[in-house]
Amino acid sequence: MSYRMVIIRVGDSSIGRDFRSTFFDSGSHSRESHSRFGRRDCFSLVSRRRRRGRRGGRVRFTSLERLYERLGRRKSVDESTDEEDEEDPTPGCLKVEDVDFKILKNTNKHETDEYSITSKVNDENEKQIPKLVLRRGFSFTVVIRFNRPYNAQTDRVSLQFAFGERPKLVKGSLVRLELTDTFKDGQWAAVLKNSKDSEITVEVHTPPNNYVGVWRMRVNIKIDEKKIVYTEPYEFYMLFNPFHKRDEVYMADEAERKEYVMRESGKIYVGTSHQIFGKTWNFRQFSDDVLECVLYLLEESELPLHARRNPVLVTRKLTALINSSDDNGVLTGNWSGVYTGGKSPLAWTGSAAIFQEYFKTKRPVKFGQCWVFSGVLTTGIYCCGPCPVKAIKTGDTTALYDAPFIFAEVNADKISWILMPDGNYKSYIQSGEIGKNISTKAVLKNDRNDVTCEYKCAEGSAAERAAVLRAVNTAAIRTDAYKQGPQDMKFEIDVDFDAMFGSDVLVKLKMENTSNEVRHVGGSISAVSVFYTGVKAKDINKSKINCTVQPKSNGVAELLLTFNDYYKTMVDHCGIHLTAVTFVSETMQYCVLEEDFRLRKPDVTLKTPVKVSKLRPFDVEVSFTNPLKVALTNCILTVEGPGLQRPQTHPQCDVKPNETFHTTLKLTPIRVGTRSVCVGFTSEQLAGLEQESEIEVTE
């Protein structure tokens, strides 16, 4: 056995990184569809976090490691108390000459053939070494070629699988399989399917609760009772399996599997309950670097071994790691409206570019906001869910995970507290304002699917009220919050939700007197620009209310918002928040009404062919009309499409007021199937314009 001595200065993070990438390398693979063993010049994805601390690069050693340090050597990643040492082959004995992992056959069976890393070319149509991606619970085929014919009676061949830095037999992270002719469902097994000349075909069975991440396989040949020869390790990826009935993530509906597992693009619904927009997002889970980046994050997470089987714990950990606030994660959040040194969150149209930049630099990508976090992996900075939907629907806020937070998002009463002249507070309650039109993309359609009924019973029904009261009884809330006085005046904010950015907007407060007496109404109407989170940006306009409403009659108060009023106050999403505060002199009835809306942005026209051929360029035409009275400057056009090529960014000329922008781009498809082309346009004055189109790519 050869030894290598590495001197490392404790506490130096850069040296720690060099040590990790230099010392722990793994077997390289040939450029054919199978892989050969014997070389050690390919970087291993497996993390070595135990040798470099989470913060500041501090190196930690066990007592055994300190012993090896004094002896001038380190144990290799595949060495442990449960794994044998490598010996030189005895002349004339059985030797492994080649291992073929049948990547094409296995990935087709495991529904992983769309991953670009399993192909001989990447998304740029450049040659690469294909890697094996598997789903736990499914068997896979391995063909092993020896230097002579295999003799089942005398040759003692086994397969060894290792997971993690310190694989152990007792923990199931180290598995040794003798060749056999039988297997038990749900357990590890290596079944000898065929032996011909110097080749054997082995079918490897894996359990549906297997560890998820990077595995290593070796072929062991036992020479005698004291000597074992084994090959260099081959890394492959093991994923959760929504196609296997015994996996916790199993999805029974085939259409849902196609939508939620295999489809590379979707929609993230944003806006208000009156203005729902389906924002196209290219998830591109099969693209270059994406799977490797996610597995890298998982390896870096220091998640306990037992948790690597559990989809709930894995999901929650990755949720935290996606945000730079947690462990130097993927994205840096920015809600300021100023994106110097990075990219506006509205400029992103998919996840691939974000993952690829992070995987290349290992530094947080700038910048993201909630829907970007959602598109990349989850709903943001807060490690939320997965919580049982039934618990949310019934108001059981004692359930795991984060039930109170989720319930408040989808089914809560809105309570405004008004400071009275005498120093006391008066409450104003609005039911039915929270959790309107909860939306997701329809399965295998581009339509919106309203799933509100999955999270809450019909608004105002006895069951819905019971759920709210159940949640209230377990929360810290003032007992007098639901006490209300006379409510004989009704108020409603009316605004044109289809108003275009660039036009004037008239806001009306409608009043109805249901009593038999005159009512005098005072108060104010105000408008402010807001970020999509609802946080105020700048004041726009405000007017006072002083209105007399006759018995059984209606009244109205108005607020005009001109383009000059709001233009310089606008932030990313053109959001405006309206607030009407009213009080009735005769009854001391107080009311606080709020309404959010967004000024509509111009539609983008996208023209593409219906069908295109693989590796043949085609034209993409993009156009829209600038609705503003000012020119658009610092214009950027982005275009991407899963299976077409990597995301592209194209600077554009200024667009004059009321001018029609038009440009033509070229894309080259590299994979067959139904693909989506997505374009996005941003500028200093107008951002977040986008459109998509589906095309069919044929050979």
Side-chain angles (χ1 to χ4, degrees):
M1 175 179 289
S2 61
Y3 299 136
R4 230 189 306 187
M5 183 174 181
V6 178
I7 300 175
I8 176 170
R9 185 173 66 206
V10 176
D12 189 320
S13 60
S14 64
I15 293 180
R17 284 191 293 271
D18 293 340
F19 167 71
R20 179 180 61 177
S21 61
T22 301
F23 188 76
F24 294 102
D25 47 5
S26 67
S28 176
H29 324 299
S30 71
R31 290 187 177 269
E32 292 81 26
S33 61
H34 56 277
S35 303
R36 298 179 186 275
F37 294 100
R39 295 161 51 198
R40 298 181 65 86
D41 55 2
C42 180
F43 174 69
S44 170
L45 184 64
V46 179
S47 169
R48 318 298 171 206
R49 296 299 295 182
R50 63 184 172 89
R51 288 177 168 81
R52 180 165 59 87
R54 206 67 167 125
R55 309 290 182 191
R58 185 169 185 175
V59 181
R60 302 187 299 272
F61 300 113
T62 64
S63 57
L64 182 60
E65 287 177 309
R66 291 192 181 95
L67 173 62
Y68 278 106
E69 182 76 4
R70 289 195 294 269
L71 293 174
R73 66 160 295 220
R74 284 282 189 178
K75 296 200 78 178
S76 171
V77 65
D78 280 335
E79 293 181 77
S80 75
T81 54
D82 283 343
E83 295 188 85
E84 300 91 345
D85 287 340
E86 179 180 8
E87 297 286 354
D88 293 330
T90 301
C93 291
L94 188 69
K95 299 179 185 177
V96 175
E97 292 195 345
D98 184 77
V99 175
D100 184 353
F101 276 85
K102 296 295 179 184
I103 291 178
L104 181 61
K105 175 182 178 180
N106 287 323
T107 55
N108 279 332
K109 177 180 179 179
H110 287 242
E111 302 282 356
T112 57
D113 55 308
E114 284 286 316
Y115 284 103
S116 66
I117 59 172
T118 68
S119 173
K120 296 180 182 179
V121 295
N122 62 15
D123 287 345
E124 295 293 321
N125 202 35
E126 299 169 339
K127 290 183 178 181
Q128 66 177 7
I129 303 169
K131 296 182 180 180
L132 183 61
V133 180
L134 303 172
R135 298 190 188 276
R136 65 182 190 179
F138 283 169
S139 63
F140 62 97
T141 299
V142 178
V143 175
I144 305 170
R145 177 162 56 84
F146 300 105
N147 61 327
R148 61 168 174 77
Y150 169 75
N151 188 325
Q153 303 300 319
T154 58
D155 293 325
R156 302 165 72 178
V157 176
S158 63
L159 303 183
Q160 178 173 294
F161 297 87
F163 181 85
E165 294 182 7
R166 292 181 171 274
K168 299 290 183 182
L169 290 169
V170 69
K171 294 183 178 180
S173 56
L174 181 66
V175 180
R176 297 193 184 110
L177 303 177
E178 301 293 335
L179 300 186
T180 181
D181 56 359
T182 61
F183 70 95
K184 291 183 179 180
D185 189 37
Q187 296 183 12
W188 280 99
V191 179
L192 181 62
K193 302 296 291 186
N194 185 45
S195 177
K196 183 179 180 181
D197 298 329
S198 59
E199 286 189 349
I200 63 172
T201 301
V202 180
E203 185 175 21
V204 180
H205 296 260
T206 65
N209 65 340
N210 206 5
Y211 296 116
V212 170
V214 184
W215 280 83
R216 305 179 299 280
M217 190 198 89
R218 282 174 164 171
V219 181
N220 296 346
I221 301 176
K222 193 168 186 178
I223 306 302
D224 53 42
E225 294 302 321
K226 296 183 178 180
K227 181 177 287 188
I228 293 179
V229 177
Y230 54 85
T231 62
E232 294 292 338
Y234 173 83
E235 285 186 351
F236 63 91
Y237 305 147
M238 185 74 72
L239 309 181
F240 291 114
N241 193 350
F243 300 87
H244 196 289
K245 292 183 178 180
R246 293 177 59 186
D247 196 308
E248 289 181 85
V249 302
Y250 174 64
M251 301 182 73
D253 190 285
E254 182 180 359
E256 290 186 350
R257 291 198 300 265
K258 289 181 179 179
E259 176 67 43
Y260 301 126
V261 180
M262 304 305 295
R263 192 178 177 94
E264 289 191 85
S265 63
K267 290 186 179 295
I268 300 173
Y269 286 91
V270 298
T272 69
S273 59
H274 300 288
Q275 299 166 293
I276 304 174
F277 304 100
K279 181 177 178 61
T280 300
W281 192 264
N282 285 302
F283 302 107
R284 299 193 68 166
Q285 66 271 29
F286 303 124
S287 295
D288 291 347
D289 299 333
V290 174
L291 178 60
E292 297 99 312
C293 185
V294 174
L295 291 177
Y296 168 80
L297 288 169
L298 198 56
E299 297 295 338
E300 295 287 290
S301 70
E302 295 185 338
L303 198 63
L305 182 64
H306 73 274
R308 296 291 291 271
R309 303 177 187 266
N310 189 320
V312 172
L313 299 181
V314 168
T315 300
R316 286 180 65 82
K317 190 62 179 180
L318 288 175
T319 297
L321 288 172
I322 213 66
N323 189 281
S324 65
S325 298
D326 300 282
D327 299 316
N328 201 41
V330 175
L331 271 169
T332 298
N334 186 339
W335 289 264
S336 69
V338 179
Y339 308 115
T340 304
K343 193 172 182 178
S344 166
L346 283 173
W348 300 113
T349 56
S351 304
I354 297 171
F355 276 122
Q356 287 161 357
E357 181 178 337
Y358 178 81
F359 194 54
K360 180 181 179 180
T361 65
K362 303 301 187 297
R363 294 180 179 179
V365 178
K366 300 177 180 180
F367 294 103
Q369 293 178 358
C370 289
W371 81 93
V372 183
F373 289 106
S374 175
V376 172
L377 185 65
T378 182
T379 52
I381 187 169
Y382 188 75
C383 186
C384 182
C387 180
V389 175
K390 184 178 180 180
I392 301 303
K393 192 169 185 177
T394 59
D396 181 10
T397 56
T398 63
L400 297 174
Y401 294 88
D402 313 300
F405 177 83
I406 300 173
F407 182 85
E409 286 187 310
V410 301
N411 191 16
D413 289 342
K414 185 176 181 179
I415 303 179
S416 300
W417 292 95
I418 304 166
L419 179 62
M420 306 297 288
D422 61 2
N424 292 319
Y425 285 90
K426 188 181 180 78
S427 65
Y428 177 72
I429 297 178
Q430 292 173 283
S431 299
E433 293 296 310
I434 306 298
K436 291 182 177 180
N437 300 331
I438 303 172
S439 303
T440 189
K441 180 182 174 298
V443 174
L444 300 184
K445 297 179 181 178
N446 278 327
D447 301 330
R448 181 180 71 87
N449 185 21
D450 194 307
V451 293
T452 308
C453 62
E454 300 291 331
Y455 293 88
K456 59 196 294 187
C457 297
E459 194 67 61
S461 66
E464 187 269 338
R465 289 289 85 197
V468 172
L469 291 176
R470 181 183 184 185
V472 166
N473 288 334
T474 60
I477 187 171
R478 287 179 54 162
T479 56
D480 60 341
Y482 281 85
K483 292 181 180 180
Q484 298 287 292
Q487 303 284 317
D488 56 20
M489 283 293 298
K490 295 182 179 180
F491 301 93
E492 179 185 7
I493 293 178
D494 181 45
V495 66
D496 181 9
F497 291 108
D498 198 43
M500 176 70 75
F501 187 25
S503 63
D504 296 344
V505 181
L506 181 63
V507 180
K508 296 180 180 180
L509 176 65
K510 295 182 177 180
M511 314 174 201
E512 181 185 359
N513 183 359
T514 63
S515 75
N516 295 319
E517 299 176 355
V518 174
R519 295 290 184 248
H520 294 89
V521 181
S524 65
I525 311 175
S526 63
V528 299
S529 62
V530 290
F531 297 97
Y532 80 98
T533 56
V535 175
K536 174 184 172 180
K538 296 179 180 179
D539 293 317
I540 299 177
N541 204 352
K542 183 177 183 179
S543 68
K544 291 184 177 180
I545 300 172
N546 188 359
C547 187
T548 299
V549 186
Q550 297 298 320
K552 304 296 183 180
S553 298
N554 298 320
V556 65
E558 296 181 344
L559 175 66
L560 180 64
L561 307 177
T562 67
F563 174 73
N564 290 333
D565 288 334
Y566 67 72
Y567 165 60
K568 291 186 178 180
T569 73
M570 286 292 98
V571 288
D572 291 342
H573 298 267
C574 299
I576 296 177
H577 179 76
L578 304 172
T579 303
V581 179
T582 65
F583 64 90
V584 182
S585 301
E586 290 78 11
T587 63
M588 296 302 291
Q589 175 187 346
Y590 282 78
C591 176
V592 180
L593 293 182
E594 296 176 290
E595 188 69 78
D596 290 285
F597 74 101
R598 295 185 178 187
L599 295 169
R600 187 166 63 85
K601 298 178 183 181
D603 295 327
V604 176
T605 300
L606 178 62
K607 293 183 179 180
T608 62
V610 177
K611 289 186 178 181
V612 296
S613 298
K614 179 180 176 181
L615 300 180
R616 291 190 178 182
F618 65 93
D619 289 339
V620 175
E621 295 184 33
V622 184
S623 63
F624 72 91
T625 300
N626 175 14
L628 305 186
K629 301 173 184 177
V630 297
L632 306 182
T633 59
N634 294 330
C635 303
I636 298 291
L637 188 69
T638 58
V639 57
E640 68 172 305
L644 299 176
Q645 60 190 58
R646 290 193 173 192
Q648 299 178 353
T649 299
H650 302 276
Q652 302 294 314
C653 296
D654 294 352
V655 184
K656 296 177 182 179
N658 300 313
E659 180 184 14
T660 297
F661 167 86
H662 184 275
T663 190
T664 300
L665 306 170
K666 285 190 178 293
L667 290 180
T668 303
I670 60 173
R671 305 191 194 284
V672 299
T674 302
R675 307 292 175 183
S676 293
V677 178
C678 181
V679 297
F681 179 92
T682 61
S683 67
E684 289 287 341
Q685 298 76 17
L686 189 61
L689 307 187
E690 62 177 45
Q691 191 57 270
E692 71 166 336
S693 177
E694 283 195 349
I695 62 172
E696 189 70 26
V697 182
T698 59
E699 289 286 358

